[in-house]
Amino acid sequence: MQDVIDFLKNAADEHVERLQEWLRIPSVSTDSARDGDVRAAGEFVARELTECGFETKIWDTPGHPVVTANWLQAEGAPTVLIYGHYDVQPPEPLELWRHGPFEPTIEGRNLVARGATDDKGQAYALLRGITGYLKVRGSLPVNVKFLFEGEEEIGSPNLVPFIEEHEADLKADIAVVSDTSQFGPGMPAITVGLKGLCYLEVELTGASHDLHSGSFGGAVDNPANVLTEIIGKLRDADGRITIPGFYDNVRDLTDAERAEMKKLPFDEGEFQKELDAPALFGEKGYSTLERKWARPTLDVNGLLSGWTGPGAKTVLPCKAMAKFSMRLVADQNPDHIAEITAAHLQSLCPPSVRMTVTPQHGAEPVLVPSDSPFFHAANRALAAGFGAEPVAIREGGSIPVVSDFKKILGIDTILLGLGLPDDGAHSPNEKFNLDDFQRGIETAAHLVDEFSRI
């Protein structure tokens, strides 16, 4: 392996330059004005893989394209499916960026740009490590399939139909995704648990139009008042969600799992300080890590009603809207949670207003087996690439494609975290440490080598 690693180290500057080129493409999938840029980002990765000897194709969907690339010449060896997404979150608020979000800038040892770690940087590390191996050796020790999509940040509405339609073409023994993080600096990690997601939008309407709060206040109900009262009833003072049946299928942490979490070097005081939070809060009886990783949550993500401009406007709004998400844990079903939540919201709604509950996207929670040959091989690869023994962690976020791979293709996913928890995914000044980028590239080369030994 030393010849491959030496080649990858010598190409470090090129890795960064090429990643910067990809990051300059403003592939914001939520913005229809950027449709051409999203396609350009897909074409970039397709071109790169084609140049390296992969059989590549860009597939049109009703939304943004899917890119596939195959190298299938390792007869009798395992087949690995590598997933990544080339779309990025909107960069707003722009005024908080130190540089333009699509002007990748090196600050010390960090590369700052939208998409630096979520997910262009991490996905590109896998690509560069595997294609570098191919350039040095002339072949790969395993069969490799790449699958890149451009709609992850909008819930991947066209990915499941694509996977179902191309199930035979995507068949593999294991999937690999790098869209998580290490536990901390110098502590590489494989994520073994992901939370699921149930996202709802609630709208209340009262009168047919906004009213003068003096002339009509006390005569008709205010949707904004009602909505805030309803939201206030969804959690109790101990942080428990009050929706009937919400916890029925929650898989509790075992004593062994709680003990393993306690071994991790996590300082709640330092965590609070880093966030500049007045205090930490969560479900009573659980540590912060346990709440983040293995307990369900409910959070308001947005509120809109009435006058929000400068100065005063004494208006009684005719509408009020809230968006909120529930992060789910093992054995909770997002469709069931959406159903019982909508029913509970309706039961709290008085006859003085009308309520509409609209489910948005959801995702199944995931627990990844940590006793498989592929997991152990990935553990060895990560240790070789980062020079430290990895830890097994969970993640409070959701990656829906992991459960989709399991349901449709019947395969598990190895979740290799290459970034850091403070990389600022979805935030201004998103970054990726260049040393971790290089380590991730080398890990990818070790990964295909280790998988070939299974």
Side-chain angles (χ1 to χ4, degrees):
M1 277 296 293
Q2 194 57 48
D3 56 339
V4 175
I5 299 305
D6 288 344
F7 173 83
L8 295 174
K9 287 184 184 296
N10 291 333
D13 290 343
E14 180 186 340
H15 301 323
V16 176
E17 290 168 4
R18 293 290 286 167
L19 174 57
Q20 287 177 301
E21 183 178 342
W22 202 19
L23 293 171
R24 289 189 185 99
I25 303 173
S27 49
V28 181
S29 53
T30 59
D31 184 355
S32 59
R34 296 292 194 186
D35 285 357
D37 295 313
V38 178
R39 173 173 281 275
E43 291 172 345
F44 176 94
V45 73
R47 186 167 55 249
E48 181 113 346
L49 286 162
T50 299
E51 291 171 356
C52 293
F54 278 74
E55 182 181 340
T56 309
K57 186 168 182 178
I58 299 175
W59 305 81
D60 287 324
T61 75
H64 299 301
V66 169
V67 177
T68 60
N70 297 332
W71 193 94
L72 305 175
Q73 300 174 38
E75 186 175 351
T79 298
V80 184
L81 176 62
I82 310 286
Y83 164 88
H85 65 89
Y86 59 83
D87 63 321
V88 299
Q89 279 278 318
E92 286 80 6
L94 298 176
E95 67 274 10
L96 297 183
W97 286 82
R98 291 186 293 273
H99 310 277
F102 299 107
E103 299 171 9
T105 304
I106 296 176
E107 299 180 355
R109 291 303 297 162
N110 291 323
L111 179 59
V112 179
R114 173 58 84 230
T117 191
D118 182 21
D119 174 48
K120 286 180 178 177
Q122 295 200 69
Y124 198 57
L126 298 182
L127 184 154
R128 294 295 288 192
I130 292 170
T131 57
Y133 190 113
L134 180 58
K135 287 178 181 178
V136 173
R137 296 285 180 89
S139 64
L140 292 171
V142 295
N143 301 296
V144 176
K145 300 178 180 181
F146 280 97
L147 172 65
F148 285 93
E149 66 155 325
E151 298 184 333
E152 196 273 347
E153 300 294 4
I154 54 174
S156 303
N158 294 294
L159 185 61
V160 167
F162 181 86
I163 296 173
E164 290 174 338
E165 183 178 351
H166 299 276
E167 179 181 347
D169 297 328
L170 295 172
K171 185 179 179 182
D173 297 293
I174 192 70
V176 176
V177 176
S178 286
D179 199 7
T180 52
S181 68
Q182 304 172 64
F183 183 72
M187 293 192 68
I190 299 179
T191 299
V192 297
L194 295 168
K195 284 187 176 180
L197 175 67
C198 175
Y199 196 102
L200 302 177
E201 180 177 315
V202 181
E203 183 177 89
L204 299 185
T205 57
S208 61
H209 55 282
D210 290 353
L211 302 171
H212 188 291
S213 63
S215 300
F216 295 93
V220 295
D221 214 344
N222 182 332
N225 291 351
V226 175
L227 181 58
T228 55
E229 290 169 1
I230 289 174
I231 291 173
K233 295 176 181 177
L234 296 179
R235 289 193 322 195
D236 65 20
D238 289 332
R240 277 187 69 86
I241 296 160
T242 58
I243 299 166
F246 186 85
Y247 291 96
D248 284 356
N249 297 316
V250 170
R251 189 187 305 181
D252 290 327
L253 284 165
T254 65
D255 291 340
E257 288 170 332
R258 299 186 81 171
E260 285 298 313
M261 289 185 189
K262 286 181 180 178
K263 292 179 183 178
L264 294 170
F266 180 78
D267 187 318
E268 294 200 359
E270 187 62 29
F271 177 72
Q272 177 184 341
K273 182 179 178 182
E274 289 175 359
L275 297 176
D276 194 24
L280 299 182
F281 174 81
E283 187 181 0
K284 188 176 180 179
Y286 296 91
S287 71
T288 296
L289 272 188
E290 290 168 351
R291 295 194 300 258
K292 276 165 51 69
W293 289 355
R295 296 298 296 172
T297 60
L298 184 153
D299 288 287
V300 174
N301 301 133
L303 286 167
L304 182 64
S305 187
W307 173 251
T308 58
K313 183 180 181 182
T314 52
V315 63
L316 195 160
C318 65
K319 290 184 180 180
M321 181 272 289
K323 296 175 183 284
F324 62 92
S325 60
M326 289 160 285
R327 296 290 178 169
L328 312 178
V329 297
D331 297 337
Q332 286 186 295
N333 179 279
D335 293 333
H336 173 68
I337 295 299
E339 182 180 339
I340 64 173
T341 302
H344 184 58
L345 290 168
Q346 293 286 358
S347 74
L348 296 175
C349 184
S352 52
V353 296
R354 305 176 189 89
M355 173 181 284
T356 302
V357 181
T358 305
Q360 303 290 335
H361 59 282
E364 298 272 358
V366 172
L367 285 179
V368 179
S370 58
D371 57 355
S372 72
F374 287 106
F375 182 90
H376 294 309
N379 206 70
R380 294 191 298 271
L382 202 55
F386 278 76
E389 283 299 316
V391 294
I393 64 173
R394 298 194 188 192
E395 170 60 55
S398 306
I399 304 178
V401 72
V402 176
S403 58
D404 295 333
F405 284 159
K406 186 66 174 178
K407 286 189 293 185
I408 303 170
L409 303 179
I411 58 175
D412 291 317
T413 298
I414 301 296
L415 293 158
L416 294 179
L418 307 180
L420 290 169
D422 66 352
D423 277 342
H426 296 200
S427 299
N429 304 305
E430 177 184 347
K431 67 177 178 65
F432 194 9
N433 180 272
L434 292 177
D435 297 324
D436 287 335
F437 177 48
Q438 179 65 28
R439 293 181 188 113
I441 292 170
E442 295 173 22
T443 294
H446 284 294
L447 189 69
V448 292
D449 186 65
E450 290 290 348
F451 280 169
S452 71
R453 304 176 193 279
I454 295 175

